[in-house]
Amino acid sequence: VDVAPDLVVSAIAEQLAVRGHRASDADEMIAALRRDPTLLVLDNAEHLVESVGDLTTALVAGCPDLTVLVTSRRALDIAVEARLELAALDHDDARRLITDRAFAGQTDVRYDEKTLDELVIRLDAMPLQLELVAPSLRTTPLVEVVERLDRSMEVADASAPSGERHRSLAAAIDWSAQLLTRPARELHESIGSMRGGFTARDLADFLDHPI
């Protein structure tokens, strides 16, 4: 669920059932979390890195046995941060993810294996993209979903819990582009006219001799 930056502390306190006043929510959380070894998971923090970073710093300083796991497409840039960059899933794991999300509990589902492989490749085996497309497979034939990807990136999960930025592939890509540094955005704009796959060598040649 989307949360405003100034409400991050109170929102997390509410999820942890910490009952305090807004001005003391962080202190209340520290008092509650320091009682036992705890793993606190904060998911999709890329749009709240400053607020989450400040809170994480305070919690870790006040709770020696607390581990905070933050998932984000941007680093928090705090002293206590240890970064682990995750690659895309391998192909088999990606297949399992999208079929589990699309057809969990169904035993009579049939689909073309080759087309499924093509869909996974088109989505770069990225978990977020697989999660967004999976619900479409419940009501739309697999081959049609692949065709829709060719025509439009507005393949969506209307019930996406993470706000407007994750309601479709197009929205997720737009949001990701906004997180890029200025040089990265300029590079992104430069290669926008390149269709299909390309190698690092292709990209270097293109930047040396743009269209």
Side-chain angles (χ1 to χ4, degrees):
V1 178
D2 282 331
V3 177
D6 60 335
L7 296 178
V8 166
V9 174
S10 58
I12 296 174
E14 181 179 352
Q15 291 298 313
L16 294 174
V18 173
R19 301 185 182 281
H21 300 291
R22 285 187 58 178
S24 60
D25 276 337
D27 291 336
E28 295 285 348
M29 272 192 280
I30 290 172
L33 293 172
R34 66 167 31 137
R35 298 169 189 162
D36 300 293
T38 303
L39 171 63
L40 176 63
V41 179
L42 304 177
D43 194 22
N44 290 333
E46 56 269 1
H47 58 308
L48 299 165
V49 290
E50 292 185 4
S51 299
V52 171
D54 290 344
L55 177 61
T56 299
T57 298
L59 292 179
V60 171
C63 306
D65 294 324
L66 173 67
T67 299
V68 182
L69 174 61
V70 180
T71 68
S72 173
R73 284 179 280 173
R74 295 170 61 194
L76 299 184
D77 287 327
I78 56 178
V80 297
E81 181 178 31
R83 302 177 192 170
L84 175 62
E85 294 188 8
L86 299 181
L89 298 174
D90 67 40
H91 189 81
D92 289 341
D93 286 340
R95 281 172 53 100
R96 280 192 289 271
L97 175 61
I98 194 168
T99 54
D100 285 348
R101 293 294 188 270
F103 309 122
Q106 301 182 41
T107 58
D108 58 346
V109 176
R110 297 182 180 180
Y111 50 82
D112 180 72
E113 298 284 345
K114 184 177 180 180
T115 306
L116 179 65
D117 287 337
E118 182 179 354
L119 179 61
V120 168
I121 293 170
R122 295 282 189 92
L123 298 174
D124 296 322
M126 296 298 292
L128 174 59
Q129 298 179 171
L130 297 167
E131 294 269 7
L132 285 171
V133 171
S136 302
L137 301 180
R138 299 171 193 158
T139 56
T140 306
L142 180 57
V143 66
E144 186 174 332
V145 171
V146 174
E147 291 173 354
R148 286 177 60 192
L149 283 175
D150 285 337
R151 300 194 304 268
S152 171
M153 296 301 285
E154 294 296 335
V155 178
D157 176 2
S159 60
S162 300
E164 293 297 329
R165 67 187 187 281
H166 289 166
R167 288 199 177 277
S168 71
L169 290 178
I173 291 171
D174 286 344
W175 177 255
S176 297
Q178 294 174 29
L179 301 178
L180 297 174
T181 62
R182 180 183 294 276
R185 285 198 301 271
E186 292 175 351
L187 175 61
H188 184 265
E189 293 173 358
S190 296
I191 64 177
S193 60
M194 300 179 69
R195 297 182 60 84
F198 54 87
T199 66
R201 181 67 262 172
D202 295 332
L203 178 58
D205 291 342
F206 173 80
L207 294 177
D208 287 339
H209 307 285
I211 297 174

